[in-house]
Amino acid sequence: MIKLKEIMDNVRDRAPLVHNITNYVTVNDCANILLACGASPIMSDDEGDVEDITSICGGLNINIGTLNKNTIPSMFLAGRRSNELGHPVLLDPVGAGASRLRTETASALIKELKLAVIRGNISEIKALYGGSSTTRGVDADAADQVNDSNIDSVISFASAFSKDTGAVVAITGATDIITDGEKVCCIKNGDPMMSRVTGTGCMLSAMTAAFVVADPDRCFESVCAATIAMGLAGEVARSRLSEQDGNSTYRNYLIDAVCNMSGDQLEKGARYEIR
Amino acid sequence: MIKLKEIMDNVRDRAPLVHNITNYVTVNDCANILLACGASPIMSDDEGDVEDITSICGGLNINIGTLNKNTIPSMFLAGRRSNELGHPVLLDPVGAGASRLRTETASALIKELKLAVIRGNISEIKALYGGSSTTRGVDADAADQVNDSNIDSVISFASAFSKDTGAVVAITGATDIITDGEKVCCIKNGDPMMSRVTGTGCMLSAMTAAFVVADPDRCFESVCAATIAMGLAGEVARSRLSEQDGNSTYRNYLIDAVCNMSGDQLEKGARYEIR
Amino acid sequence: MIKLKEIMDNVRDRAPLVHNITNYVTVNDCANILLACGASPIMSDDEGDVEDITSICGGLNINIGTLNKNTIPSMFLAGRRSNELGHPVLLDPVGAGASRLRTETASALIKELKLAVIRGNISEIKALYGGSSTTRGVDADAADQVNDSNIDSVISFASAFSKDTGAVVAITGATDIITDGEKVCCIKNGDPMMSRVTGTGCMLSAMTAAFVVADPDRCFESVCAATIAMGLAGEVARSRLSEQDGNSTYRNYLIDAVCNMSGDQLEKGARYEIR
């Protein structure tokens, strides 16, 4: 069993400072979910700024959702500096497979940096390992969806990717699969409404970085705990929706649910299995 | 009569993928309203990324709200590629008339690209056609407001602009005027609170692009349907406001209303006339 | 006594147009709080655009939260143009002390521009004047917090900084201290939840710029009024929270509270003293 309460309480106690180089679409929600879980966000993406900023933080969240020629070098600079300092670095390869620039940038980051965590949807991860993905922009392609009939092959593939990179690999979707190459966690928390809100993946990446910074020695367990917390928040948010509420109110309730989530609540609501 | 239900149902069935090169002020709301109406958003604005991204999408929404020297070339690149692929391209000339860069960029995009739709407020459209606009930043100037006494001249002007450009022209405000150079639709849906929220115009442009991508053969009708849907959402949102609610809650309710809007509701709530 | 009602009513009557060069994290909330208080926002940060835009506005809000090599020159260009036009310019030195680029950029802006207002947290202001700050990223460091035992020295320091720069200095936190070098205002409005939302400082800076633009001859009083209004909005927002609401709903209620705030309400709820 993962010590979910202990891990969650750690985040709130240690208030990790997380450096984010992220996209401008969902950045506000990423900042607010970091504050909601007890962490502190800093966003900085200029080449002249990122090394100083990452040095005063505990870890780095790199999200390529709106990468550009100015921010790509910053991702490498901040990543290398974080590696030198021993800070955990998370990569969210948003849209890998949807363009050469995204696929190549994510691949180069994986090659050059020591990553603690790689978190994406199944299509993004397949684009980066094996190269046989279809894509639907920044969303997972239906053809790639994880289900009972292909889950074993997805787990094998994720484990191999994890062993190759040394990173905990988190493939999130209706079922989340997280592996450090040895242990595997399959998570069933979550709600379909989460796919109607932009940035649930980005928010999870930011929060995952915070959990790992707060507890770097339990990286795999921390990634699992953050993913369970996000899924459970999605369930709590769904339970609050009135008939007239839609995806915008849902987004607020999602962040609210993280803000109010206790370690006990997380343990009670978690639905996962370790294989 | 416009087949509003059919058009709205089409969007939800076809789930169009829309490439947005847009401003960082309202981008999150644009993404969420696209998801609310059944579409999928992708944001990408780097010269090295936009051609690949626009190629996998069904259409392109160009919004110059925070244009800069890096994103302007991307607008042309993505626009040309979309034209080659026969994808509909929408232009939202935010702040045209407020600066030379905005006016000139919008004019150059209109000249160089085949646009399916140009959507702006009356001051922006006047700045681009005729050159005799006053401006109040990104909002329409009071002196330009469409009213009973000037509506006929605004319609003539919009029709001429549409014939010149080949684009459906949508001038939105208290009364929305949409024309393809022949048909004209005047829409009365909407609520004054919409002008207290940043980005209602940007959101409408994004949603309009989605409607046109889903039904490119009925471009004029799709633009009308999206505009009616946005105005009706503004009315629904208003009806939900409690005494303590203000423009931020209103924004959420606006997106929520699109999320929950059915084709039947749209037909029932529509207030427009075709001239 | 500060004529709070008069100042607030002025903002709503005069509807000042504010040019913002600001970060992409909190920019949407800044735009919406400007609309909430009765002002109009424009965001523009390209070197080729900022001079035209600032010329049609009444004032300029410079926020260095995600500064970069493209936007830094724009801050100087727009600032100089605003100075030439006699427009009030506000600086929010987000993260000064957290990186050399931030500290140096803020210092250079202070040196080169005539600033009407400098607003930051205690750590940022100390980093810019005296150079002996600790820092916790974009948040104030605990070691820097203003309390009963150090408030007199903070006031002396703020007054000296104000005299040196000619700007009204606003140091905000649990107790806000505002001074024009002679008068000092200590404000007790606010709520701890404000620190759980990203951008409350940025929002206050934007709103402060609007208040000063609306009433440039009462700069000190306008800064006080905006700060009191923000704190009071934080209290109103807190009073609306249900048990399941968290920081995201709180953000909405905060902006809503500004949207609905009357001059009378502001006078009644204000908790401050002039020294």
Side-chain angles (χ1 to χ4, degrees):
Chain A
M1 296 296 292
I2 303 169
K3 295 187 174 174
L4 295 170
K5 176 175 161 45
E6 196 176 298
I7 290 171
M8 182 118 200
D9 290 349
N10 262 341
V11 179
R12 301 214 189 268
D13 289 348
R14 295 178 186 175
L17 196 53
V18 178
H19 177 198
N20 299 271
I21 302 179
T22 188
N23 68 76
Y24 57 80
V25 185
T26 65
V27 59
N28 185 266
D29 293 332
C30 288
N32 275 326
I33 210 156
L34 281 169
L35 288 162
C37 77
S40 286
I42 306 185
M43 278 64 181
S44 162
D45 61 14
D46 186 73
E47 286 184 73
D49 200 47
V50 292
E51 290 176 290
D52 278 2
I53 292 296
T54 223
S55 298
I56 62 163
C57 292
L60 173 64
N61 171 36
I62 300 175
N63 175 307
I64 66 166
T66 53
L67 82 181
N68 65 51
K69 66 183 172 214
N70 292 320
T71 55
I72 292 170
S74 301
M75 294 173 188
F76 286 91
L77 275 178
R80 280 187 219 113
R81 186 89 187 95
S82 288
N83 278 175
E84 287 165 18
L85 296 165
H87 295 176
V89 180
L90 180 146
L91 174 66
D92 186 336
V94 179
S99 75
R100 273 160 299 176
L101 185 66
R102 289 165 191 258
T103 309
E104 287 171 12
T105 301
S107 296
L109 288 164
I110 290 169
K111 194 172 171 190
E112 179 146 343
L113 301 179
K114 177 176 168 21
L115 297 172
V117 188
I118 302 169
R119 194 218 63 80
N121 65 43
I122 180 69
S123 297
E124 290 158 351
I125 301 297
K126 283 175 79 173
L128 295 173
Y129 194 69
S132 62
S133 173
T134 54
T135 183
R136 192 177 147 72
V138 295
D139 298 316
D141 194 273
D144 286 335
Q145 292 297 354
V146 178
N147 53 46
D148 285 349
S149 70
N150 68 3
I151 191 165
D152 289 333
S153 73
V154 172
I155 289 173
S156 300
F157 153 82
S159 296
F161 189 35
S162 174
K163 281 174 187 157
D164 253 34
T165 57
V168 171
V169 170
I171 298 174
T172 58
T175 300
D176 308 309
I177 294 168
I178 296 165
T179 179
D180 63 357
E182 303 293 334
K183 287 164 286 185
V184 177
C185 180
C186 297
I187 300 170
K188 289 286 188 188
N189 289 99
D191 186 275
M193 270 300 282
M194 296 173 83
S195 63
R196 303 284 306 271
V197 175
T198 193
T200 46
C202 304
M203 286 186 251
L204 173 53
S205 287
M207 189 160 75
T208 300
F211 275 57
V212 172
V213 172
D215 210 345
D217 296 335
R218 284 191 289 194
C219 184
F220 169 74
E221 289 77 7
S222 296
V223 176
C224 295
T227 308
I228 293 167
M230 189 71 183
L232 183 58
E235 297 169 21
V236 172
R238 177 59 171 261
S239 73
R240 295 184 68 190
L241 288 187
S242 75
E243 205 175 293
Q244 289 194 289
D245 291 331
N247 60 332
S248 192
T249 292
Y250 184 76
R251 179 261 311 273
N252 295 316
Y253 286 172
L254 188 68
I255 298 172
D256 286 355
V258 171
C259 191
N260 289 315
M261 193 172 289
S262 67
D264 286 328
Q265 183 188 2
L266 182 60
E267 295 223 321
K268 196 171 161 193
R271 293 184 286 133
Y272 68 98
E273 54 169 336
I274 303 285
R275 297 196 182 188
Chain B
M1 299 294 292
I2 302 170
K3 296 186 174 175
L4 294 170
K5 176 176 162 44
E6 196 175 298
I7 290 171
M8 182 117 200
D9 290 348
N10 262 341
V11 179
R12 301 215 189 267
D13 289 347
R14 295 178 187 174
L17 195 53
V18 179
H19 177 197
N20 300 271
I21 301 179
T22 189
N23 68 76
Y24 57 80
V25 185
T26 65
V27 60
N28 185 266
D29 292 333
C30 288
N32 275 327
I33 210 157
L34 282 169
L35 288 162
C37 77
S40 286
I42 306 186
M43 278 63 180
S44 161
D45 62 14
D46 185 74
E47 286 185 74
D49 201 47
V50 291
E51 291 177 290
D52 278 0
I53 292 295
T54 223
S55 298
I56 61 163
C57 291
L60 173 64
N61 170 36
I62 300 176
N63 176 307
I64 66 166
T66 53
L67 81 182
N68 65 52
K69 66 183 173 216
N70 292 319
T71 56
I72 292 170
S74 301
M75 294 172 187
F76 285 92
L77 274 179
R80 280 188 219 113
R81 186 89 187 95
S82 288
N83 278 176
E84 286 165 17
L85 294 167
H87 295 175
V89 180
L90 180 146
L91 174 66
D92 186 337
V94 179
S99 75
R100 274 160 298 175
L101 184 67
R102 289 165 190 258
T103 310
E104 288 171 11
T105 300
S107 296
L109 288 165
I110 289 169
K111 194 172 171 192
E112 178 147 344
L113 301 179
K114 175 173 170 23
L115 296 173
V117 187
I118 302 168
R119 194 218 63 81
N121 65 44
I122 179 70
S123 296
E124 289 158 351
I125 301 297
K126 283 174 81 174
L128 294 174
Y129 194 68
S132 62
S133 173
T134 54
T135 182
R136 193 175 146 71
V138 295
D139 298 316
D141 193 272
D144 287 333
Q145 291 297 353
V146 179
N147 53 47
D148 285 349
S149 70
N150 68 3
I151 190 165
D152 289 334
S153 73
V154 172
I155 289 173
S156 299
F157 155 82
S159 295
F161 189 34
S162 175
K163 281 174 185 155
D164 253 34
T165 56
V168 171
V169 170
I171 299 174
T172 58
T175 300
D176 308 309
I177 294 169
I178 296 165
T179 179
D180 63 356
E182 303 293 334
K183 288 163 286 185
V184 176
C185 181
C186 298
I187 300 170
K188 288 286 188 188
N189 289 98
D191 186 276
M193 270 299 283
M194 296 173 82
S195 63
R196 303 284 307 272
V197 175
T198 192
T200 46
C202 304
M203 286 187 252
L204 174 53
S205 287
M207 189 158 76
T208 300
F211 275 57
V212 173
V213 172
D215 210 344
D217 296 335
R218 285 191 289 195
C219 184
F220 169 74
E221 289 79 7
S222 296
V223 176
C224 295
T227 308
I228 294 167
M230 189 72 184
L232 183 58
E235 297 169 21
V236 172
R238 178 58 171 264
S239 73
R240 295 184 67 189
L241 287 187
S242 74
E243 205 175 291
Q244 288 194 289
D245 290 332
N247 59 334
S248 192
T249 291
Y250 184 75
R251 180 261 310 272
N252 294 316
Y253 287 172
L254 188 68
I255 299 173
D256 285 355
V258 171
C259 191
N260 289 315
M261 194 173 287
S262 67
D264 286 328
Q265 183 188 2
L266 181 61
E267 295 223 322
K268 197 171 162 192
R271 291 184 288 132
Y272 69 98
E273 54 169 334
I274 304 284
R275 296 198 183 186
Chain C
M1 297 295 293
I2 303 170
K3 296 186 174 173
L4 295 170
K5 176 176 160 45
E6 197 176 297
I7 290 171
M8 182 116 199
D9 290 348
N10 262 341
V11 179
R12 301 212 189 269
D13 289 348
R14 296 177 185 174
L17 195 53
V18 178
H19 177 198
N20 300 271
I21 302 179
T22 188
N23 69 75
Y24 57 79
V25 184
T26 65
V27 60
N28 184 267
D29 292 333
C30 289
N32 275 327
I33 210 157
L34 282 169
L35 288 162
C37 76
S40 285
I42 305 186
M43 279 63 182
S44 161
D45 62 15
D46 186 73
E47 285 184 75
D49 200 48
V50 292
E51 289 176 291
D52 278 1
I53 292 297
T54 222
S55 298
I56 62 164
C57 291
L60 173 64
N61 170 36
I62 300 175
N63 174 308
I64 67 166
T66 53
L67 81 182
N68 65 52
K69 67 182 172 214
N70 292 320
T71 56
I72 292 169
S74 301
M75 294 173 187
F76 285 91
L77 274 178
R80 281 187 217 114
R81 186 89 188 95
S82 288
N83 278 176
E84 287 165 17
L85 295 166
H87 295 177
V89 180
L90 179 146
L91 174 66
D92 186 336
V94 179
S99 74
R100 273 161 298 175
L101 184 67
R102 289 165 189 260
T103 310
E104 288 171 11
T105 300
S107 296
L109 288 164
I110 291 168
K111 193 171 172 192
E112 178 146 345
L113 301 178
K114 176 175 168 21
L115 296 173
V117 188
I118 301 169
R119 194 217 63 79
N121 65 44
I122 179 69
S123 296
E124 290 158 351
I125 301 297
K126 284 175 79 174
L128 295 173
Y129 194 68
S132 62
S133 173
T134 54
T135 183
R136 193 176 146 72
V138 295
D139 299 315
D141 194 273
D144 287 335
Q145 292 297 353
V146 178
N147 53 47
D148 284 350
S149 71
N150 68 2
I151 190 164
D152 289 333
S153 72
V154 172
I155 288 173
S156 301
F157 154 82
S159 295
F161 188 35
S162 175
K163 281 173 185 155
D164 253 35
T165 57
V168 172
V169 170
I171 298 174
T172 57
T175 299
D176 309 308
I177 294 169
I178 297 165
T179 178
D180 63 356
E182 302 293 335
K183 287 163 288 186
V184 176
C185 181
C186 297
I187 301 170
K188 289 286 188 188
N189 289 99
D191 186 275
M193 269 301 282
M194 296 173 82
S195 63
R196 301 285 306 270
V197 175
T198 192
T200 46
C202 304
M203 286 187 252
L204 174 53
S205 287
M207 190 158 76
T208 300
F211 275 57
V212 173
V213 171
D215 211 343
D217 295 336
R218 286 189 289 193
C219 185
F220 169 74
E221 288 78 6
S222 296
V223 176
C224 295
T227 308
I228 293 167
M230 189 72 183
L232 183 58
E235 296 170 21
V236 172
R238 178 58 170 263
S239 73
R240 294 184 68 190
L241 287 187
S242 74
E243 204 175 293
Q244 289 195 288
D245 291 332
N247 61 332
S248 191
T249 291
Y250 184 75
R251 179 260 311 271
N252 295 317
Y253 286 172
L254 188 68
I255 298 173
D256 285 355
V258 171
C259 190
N260 288 315
M261 193 173 288
S262 68
D264 286 328
Q265 183 187 3
L266 181 61
E267 295 223 321
K268 196 171 162 194
R271 292 183 287 132
Y272 68 98
E273 55 169 334
I274 303 284
R275 297 198 181 188

